[in-house]
Amino acid sequence: MEENNFSLLRASVYERCLKPVLNAAKTAKDLNAIPQANTIIEACYRPFKPEPGKPPPPVVIRLTSKNFKVALLKNKKALPDTTAKEKEAGLLKFNLAEDLTPATQRCLSSLIRSGMVEKAWTVDGVIRFTLPNQPKTIKPHKVYSVFDSVDTIISLART
């Protein structure tokens, strides 16, 4: 039964979410071909059981290759919109994101909420950000310690 649930979830996630993003990755030449579900997804599961009346829990996906992860994250804007039926079930939107440590997630959230950065994101668990009015030709800044305060992170970026 467990294997059957995994297969159903994998097929559903692949067809509904990953395939459109993989198509965009192929078009952008980030991938040579679109892999099949069993080639790209090593594991996928819900971290907790759905509860009646609450939005469905997220799906955690472990990919078979870092190259697939990079291609998916670079092209995640191609994620489809949710249908009316999905919205009715409590699923408001699809999102692809790295699974971050709690400390990294807190630091990223603090940076974004601070209003002192134009945008912030992660690449392989490393936080990168741009400052307001920063020329596009300058590389994004990196956070070297997620335990530093937002003020320290910003001051280090400005030096």
Side-chain angles (χ1 to χ4, degrees):
M1 183 71 170
E2 183 86 18
E3 177 62 31
N4 191 28
N5 287 342
F6 167 72
S7 296
L8 287 172
L9 184 60
R10 177 179 60 194
S12 172
V13 166
Y14 177 80
E15 287 298 324
R16 187 70 184 103
C17 296
L18 296 185
K19 205 168 186 183
V21 180
L22 292 168
N23 278 320
K26 184 176 182 233
T27 301
K29 299 192 184 333
D30 292 325
L31 291 174
N32 293 329
I34 299 170
Q36 295 298 313
N38 60 351
T39 306
I40 187 172
I41 300 174
E42 184 176 317
C44 82
Y45 59 92
R46 294 187 184 275
F48 50 89
K49 294 199 180 291
E51 293 182 32
K54 291 192 174 184
V59 176
V60 177
I61 304 168
R62 185 177 330 130
L63 302 173
T64 58
S65 162
K66 183 178 175 179
N67 293 339
F68 291 141
K69 179 181 97 168
V70 170
L72 286 168
L73 290 173
K74 278 178 70 176
N75 294 282
K76 69 182 184 177
K77 288 184 180 179
L79 277 168
D81 291 331
T82 51
T83 64
K85 188 176 180 182
E86 290 165 337
K87 287 179 183 169
E88 191 176 295
L91 183 62
L92 302 179
K93 70 175 191 162
F94 296 117
N95 184 31
L96 282 176
E98 287 188 283
D99 189 20
L100 303 173
T101 66
T104 303
Q105 184 63 54
R106 277 192 302 275
C107 182
L108 178 63
S109 297
S110 295
L111 262 178
I112 292 169
R113 281 194 318 266
S114 75
M116 298 168 71
V117 299
E118 186 172 319
K119 59 183 178 177
W121 65 97
T122 61
V123 176
D124 289 334
V126 176
I127 300 172
R128 297 177 186 263
F129 63 96
T130 57
L131 296 171
N133 304 318
Q134 176 180 322
K136 301 292 182 207
T137 55
I138 294 178
K139 286 176 124 178
H141 302 284
K142 287 183 188 178
V143 171
Y144 293 100
S145 173
V146 295
F147 301 107
D148 285 343
S149 69
V150 170
D151 291 332
T152 302
I153 291 168
I154 299 299
S155 67
L156 289 171
R158 290 190 172 139
T159 58

